[in-house]
Amino acid sequence: MRLPSDEPLLRYAIAAVWLATGLLVLAPGYRAAAAPWLAAGGLPTGVMWATCLAEVALGVRLILGPAPRWMWALQAVMVVGFTGILVVLDAALLVHPLGLLSKNLPFLLVVWVLSKGPDPLPAQTWLLRIAAAAPWFTEGLLPKVFFQDPWELALVPRVGLGGFSPSVVLIVLGVAQALSGVLALALRGRARQAVLVMQAAALVVLPLWVGFLEPAWWVHPFGPFTKNLPILAATLVVVRRC
């Protein structure tokens, strides 16, 4: 049987993403960042406001209690739809350093777990382990090793690593992130728990650090920081189940 305290934590994390994505439309920076994408898709501004209103409603509904299966399916369709449209407009978003689209994968995995209800515990735990580990691969190997982004290269000296080659620094960090993902999947017991605790801390500290240097990302419509919440929730659940 699934542990009863897991469901609210995961559900609240998903709800927080929808609420933040919807309410932040009130911030001018959000609307300014969304405008080019609306224009690229040939969509009027009203679509943004209507979508954000629906997201707020969805977030409020999830806070109120467990949702029916169709509502989880609706969320999956929304996320896959948004992702597909944005990939068509700019495939480079898939390898963005802040996981603008790649973080949708762990989001969908958590949604899948919540939609399943009384699935066996081992199956749920494996999905949550993948959700917790995936960002360390996608944000480690893709933007830091294979597709280095000029923005992230310029960020390296700003975080106090100006004495080293930005490209080399990113490669080292990317390999370390990917290795932590491997360890989180391969280790057992207390060793796995220790890796997951460090990852959970990084999920909190890194957005605060980057957000301090680049505040505009806090109100970006693709939610690079708020999407850490389902990943963090999945990580904490797996830590408890170790």
Side-chain angles (χ1 to χ4, degrees):
M1 297 294 292
R2 84 189 281 162
L3 300 177
S5 61
D6 293 346
E7 191 272 346
L9 175 62
L10 296 170
R11 175 163 47 83
Y12 293 153
I14 295 294
V17 174
W18 290 118
L19 285 172
T21 307
L23 292 174
L24 284 174
V25 72
L26 300 174
Y30 180 109
R31 300 194 296 274
W37 299 103
L38 290 170
L43 300 173
T45 305
V47 171
M48 175 183 66
W49 287 96
T51 302
C52 288
L53 180 61
E55 289 172 342
V56 171
L58 182 55
V60 170
R61 170 60 186 83
L62 294 180
I63 287 176
L64 293 177
R69 184 166 294 186
W70 69 263
M71 189 170 290
W72 297 113
L74 172 63
Q75 293 174 68
V77 170
M78 291 171 64
V79 172
V80 172
F82 291 154
T83 303
I85 292 171
L86 291 170
V87 168
V88 170
L89 294 176
D90 186 0
L93 290 173
L94 285 171
V95 295
H96 191 276
L98 295 181
L100 297 184
L101 295 186
S102 59
K103 284 178 181 173
N104 287 352
L105 172 59
F107 184 97
L108 287 170
L109 288 173
V110 174
V111 166
W112 178 266
V113 168
L114 287 167
S115 74
K116 286 310 192 179
D119 262 9
L121 177 61
Q124 289 185 349
T125 303
W126 260 107
L127 287 173
L128 293 176
R129 286 177 64 188
I130 295 172
W136 301 102
F137 294 106
T138 57
E139 292 181 44
L141 294 178
L142 295 178
K144 289 183 173 61
V145 177
F146 300 117
F147 305 98
Q148 293 187 342
D149 188 281
W151 171 79
E152 194 169 28
L153 288 168
L155 190 66
V156 171
R158 297 178 63 193
V159 299
L161 297 172
F164 305 92
S165 165
S167 181
V168 172
V169 169
L170 289 186
I171 291 173
V172 171
L173 291 176
V175 171
Q177 284 183 286
L179 179 60
S180 77
V182 171
L183 293 176
L185 291 174
L187 295 177
R188 296 289 185 271
R190 291 188 181 277
R192 179 200 297 165
Q193 198 172 46
V195 172
L196 290 168
V197 168
M198 288 188 287
Q199 289 180 343
L203 287 168
V204 176
V205 173
L206 292 178
L208 292 175
W209 194 359
V210 176
F212 174 76
L213 297 173
E214 298 278 352
W217 289 113
W218 287 110
V219 295
H220 195 278
F222 300 162
F225 295 155
T226 55
K227 286 178 186 174
N228 278 15
L229 293 174
I231 302 167
L232 178 59
T235 303
L236 294 176
V237 169
V238 177
V239 166
R240 193 165 72 88
R241 291 181 176 184
C242 283

